[in-house]
Structures are given as C-alpha cells and as structure tokens.
Amino acid sequence: MVESNSEKAGNNCNLGGSGPVIWSYFAEFQPKAKRGCMLSFMAAFWTFGNLFVAGLAWLIIPTNIGFVTSIFTYNSWRIFLMVCSTPSFLVAFLLFYLPESPKFLLSKGKPDRAMAIFRGIFVTNNKKSPDLYPVAELDFDEKLMQELKEKRESLKGKYTKMLSNMAEHSKELFRRPILKFTIVSITINFTFHIGYYGLMMWFPELFSRFEEYSNTFPNQTAGVCVVTEYIVGKGNQDNAICSAHIPSAVFMESLISLASALPANLIAILGMDWLGRKFFLIFGTMTAGVCSAAMYFVYNSTQNLIATAVFSGAISTANAALDCLITEVFPTHLRATGVAVSMVAARMGGIIGNIVIATLLDQYCPAPTIIVAVLLIGGGLMSLFLPNTTRKELN
C-alpha cells in the first residue's frame, strides 16, 4: 500500500486561518461588475498551487535526500514539507505593503484614511497626481457615525474593545436576519468539503491501487470495490506494512486530474458575473456528485482518470462560486467573521471527509461515494436559500 501521495501533501500544506481575511479583503476592493470574475481569478490560484505542489512532490519525494540518525529521520517527505512552508513566510512579509480596506475603514468611522487609500489606488491605476482624483469627499451615514461614537465612549480600552467587538460580531451572526445566511453557509461548506476532501484526497491513492492491481493481474479489468478489496486484503496479509515508493504514473495521473481544473477555472472567471454564483455552484456540485456516484462503474485506471478529471474540474468551479457567494452575503462589519465561521464548518467537513470517508471506502465500498454524491448535490441546492449577489453592491 502507498503510504502517502502528492495530493495529500498538497492539501495538508495549507492552513485555513488566513482564508476569511483574504476573501473579505480582496472582495472589498472590487467593483460589483467585475467582483465575481476577480474572485474566481483568485480562486484559480488554488489550482495553480495544487499543481505546483504536486510537481514539487514529484521532484523531491522519490529522491533519497535527507539524513538519518539514531533518534531522528529527516527524509524527503520532511524536506518537501519544509519547502512548502516557505511561501507562507514570503506572503506574511508582503502583506505589510498592502493598504487597509477602505470599506472597512468607513465602517469604523475613518473616512479620511479611506479617502487617502482611494487616492493611492487612483494614482497606482492611472499614473496621475492625487490632486486629480475626481472625488472630493465621501458621503457618510450619520446614524452609523452616532453608533460608532457611542461605542468609543462605552469602550475605552483598545483590547477590551477588540474582544467586545469579536463577541458581538459572533453573536450577531446567529441573530435575525443574518441567522439564515449563517446556517445555510455553514451547511453548504460542511457538506461541500466532505465531498471535496473525501474524494479528492483519496483519488491519488486510487491511482496507486489500480496501478498495483494491473501489475499483479495484467490485462484484467476490475471495479473500484474489487481493487480496494484486493489491496486491503493484501495489506492485512503483509501486516499492513506500507511502502514509501510511489510509482511515477501516480504522480502523472495526479497532475493530469489537477490540471483538468484549469479550463473549469477559466470558464468560471469568464462567466461568474454573467451566469451567476448559484448557477456555477449548483452545476458544479451536481456534476461532481454524478462523478462520485459513477465511481462504482470505473473498471480501469483510464476510466478512473477521466472520472477524477471531470470531478476535479466541476468541484473547482463550484468552489470558486461558493467562495464568491459566501463572501458576498455577509455585511461588511460581519464579513470576515461570517466567512471564518463558514470555514470552520468547512474544515470540520474536511476532517470527516479525509478520515471517515476513506475508511468507509475500504470497509463498505461503494456506499461512501453515494453518500458524497448526495451531500454535494444537496449542499449545492441549498444555495437557492441565499440571496442573489451577482453584480450587486456589497452590503
């Protein structure tokens, strides 16, 4: 049995804590007519990142680099993970050069700072003097100004204010009228990521299993459940001793399945502001759900590659739409918190998908693929309960 694979490594190299800030921050800088396109463009870099990590894994993991001592082994896997950590440090440094969100500053009663950033954006985009910026001042809601003044008077301590705001924002997510958005977004993210991580992270292992089965039984075809039963039985006979060797074909098939998401990302970028978030989310989850259910009818590595490639493209498109929709449904002062709560549900779904679904596939094949199909389709249809945010101003 294969101990691990590039796909798992790629997904395990990312952390979700920065996600809510990234999506909220980026969305607040975009005009409503292009916001879906730009958010989808940013989502496409998830695919580029996966491709880069899979290729990097192919270059590093099969080698014998590293060292071994009597108390510690620093092999190629650990070197690969160390390399994967480097971009995070680079991004953390670059963030110091980005301005604060003007929409956030306005919600905090700081129109002068927001205006300064607008002028800076004007200068960067047009290469003109800031004095030529056509906006003289910003309209500001007097009711909001009064509320901000009352909050400043009641909370004088900086950290006390921060903790109070965090608690208040969390509570507000579970009050009407935001409660509906919170429940639906949590449910969609939970069900979506059970399917995403449950199958996407299992596919490279399946590539390896088909490869091993075809080497043992040349010119014979077998379904996913037969192949899985053979590999699991062989592992039990060998006392579950795993091999660190990963065939080159597994890396190649993983790269092809990941690369299949690129055309889907391009379609999402071009059509997100035309067809809308709900269309791409429902179409993507339904297509991915059908691919999941169809895994039972896969009888060789080629069919498996086709199914995984279509699944990868569909789930990538749906993921871009989901990120757009969840980011846009929450008002500015709750956006990052709302997205964060949704992503907590997504991570919980990812944990269940990664551990439980993979275990069930070995023991109760093909029931988990049907479960994933139902969860993906059902979660996608729940987006119908959310408002249409396509080409609409952020609240």
Side-chain angles (χ1 to χ4, degrees):
M1 294 173 66
V2 175
E3 184 178 35
S4 46
N5 50 66
S6 60
E7 178 78 12
K8 291 181 180 179
N11 283 286
N12 287 333
C13 280
N14 71 82
L15 297 175
S18 59
V21 178
I22 292 171
W23 287 99
S24 302
Y25 179 85
F26 191 71
E28 290 170 7
F29 275 94
Q30 307 306 321
K32 63 182 180 180
K34 298 287 186 178
R35 192 169 58 244
C37 169
M38 295 307 298
L39 288 172
S40 299
F41 178 71
M42 186 173 72
F45 282 87
W46 177 275
T47 301
F48 285 115
N50 282 337
L51 283 169
F52 176 77
V53 170
L56 194 65
W58 195 353
L59 290 175
I60 296 176
I61 294 172
T63 65
N64 294 320
I65 58 176
F67 60 88
V68 178
T69 67
S70 59
I71 59 175
F72 185 71
T73 300
Y74 200 79
N75 55 16
S76 60
W77 265 108
R78 290 178 170 85
I79 293 174
F80 168 70
L81 293 176
M82 181 188 68
V83 175
C84 285
S85 68
T86 305
S88 296
F89 293 102
L90 177 63
V91 170
F93 176 75
L94 293 175
L95 286 175
F96 286 104
Y97 292 91
L98 294 177
E100 182 57 86
S101 163
K103 196 168 184 65
F104 171 78
L105 292 174
L106 288 173
S107 71
K108 294 298 181 182
K110 300 176 182 178
D112 293 338
R113 288 184 58 189
M115 178 61 82
I117 291 173
F118 282 132
R119 288 197 183 98
I121 295 172
F122 172 78
V123 171
T124 300
N125 289 343
N126 299 279
K127 309 301 180 184
K128 296 181 180 179
S129 169
D131 297 331
L132 297 177
Y133 185 54
V135 179
E137 65 176 323
L138 300 173
D139 290 333
F140 210 77
D141 191 290
E142 294 183 3
K143 181 180 178 182
L144 177 59
M145 284 289 290
Q146 182 62 31
E147 291 176 354
L148 293 170
K149 182 179 178 181
E150 292 174 357
K151 287 182 179 180
R152 284 195 292 267
E153 292 175 350
S154 61
L155 295 169
K156 297 181 180 180
K158 178 181 178 181
Y159 295 105
T160 303
K161 182 195 301 185
M162 180 181 69
L163 293 173
S164 177
N165 285 341
M166 289 172 59
E168 183 60 30
H169 288 173
S170 298
K171 291 179 182 177
E172 195 170 343
L173 287 173
F174 295 93
R175 296 174 184 159
R176 295 173 184 265
I178 306 298
L179 176 62
K180 176 183 176 180
F181 301 157
T182 304
I183 292 176
V184 174
S185 64
I186 286 175
T187 304
I188 295 175
N189 268 286
F190 182 73
T191 57
F192 182 90
H193 285 85
I194 286 179
Y196 183 90
Y197 285 100
L199 290 184
M200 283 295 290
M201 296 182 71
W202 183 71
F203 283 150
E205 171 67 16
L206 188 57
F207 292 146
S208 178
R209 291 182 177 186
F210 269 107
E211 184 77 14
E212 185 173 349
Y213 187 90
S214 62
N215 290 335
T216 307
F217 303 101
N219 302 319
Q220 288 190 26
T221 60
V224 172
C225 294
V226 173
V227 172
T228 297
E229 183 179 357
Y230 166 75
I231 298 297
V232 172
K234 181 181 177 183
N236 292 333
Q237 293 172 5
D238 296 339
N239 295 320
I241 297 176
C242 293
S243 170
H245 173 69
I246 303 175
S248 296
V250 174
F251 287 103
M252 177 61 72
E253 289 168 340
S254 296
L255 281 169
I256 292 173
S257 66
L258 290 171
S260 67
L262 292 177
N265 286 135
L266 179 60
I267 293 172
I269 292 170
L270 297 176
M272 191 63 70
D273 289 310
W274 178 43
L275 297 173
R277 286 68 162 146
K278 294 183 181 181
F279 170 83
F280 280 103
L281 181 55
I282 294 174
F283 178 80
T285 51
M286 283 191 168
T287 303
V290 170
C291 289
S292 176
M295 291 301 297
Y296 180 73
F297 302 99
V298 168
Y299 283 93
N300 55 54
S301 57
T302 302
Q303 294 175 0
N304 179 51
L305 180 59
I306 294 172
T308 55
V310 175
F311 182 93
S312 177
I315 205 75
S316 181
T317 303
N319 190 43
L322 177 61
D323 288 334
C324 290
L325 188 59
I326 297 303
T327 301
E328 294 170 336
V329 295
F330 292 104
T332 299
H333 69 293
L334 297 176
R335 184 166 295 116
T337 308
V339 175
V341 170
S342 299
M343 287 192 172
V344 169
R347 297 304 167 188
M348 291 176 62
I351 292 171
I352 292 174
N354 189 21
I355 298 174
V356 177
I357 296 297
T359 302
L360 291 177
L361 281 167
D362 283 349
Q363 298 178 0
Y364 301 103
C365 181
T369 59
I370 305 301
I371 294 172
V372 167
V374 172
L375 289 175
L376 284 173
I377 295 173
L381 290 174
M382 283 201 70
S383 65
L384 296 174
F385 293 99
L386 293 175
N388 178 28
T389 61
T390 303
R391 293 178 174 268
K392 301 290 180 66
E393 296 284 358
L394 289 177
N395 186 359

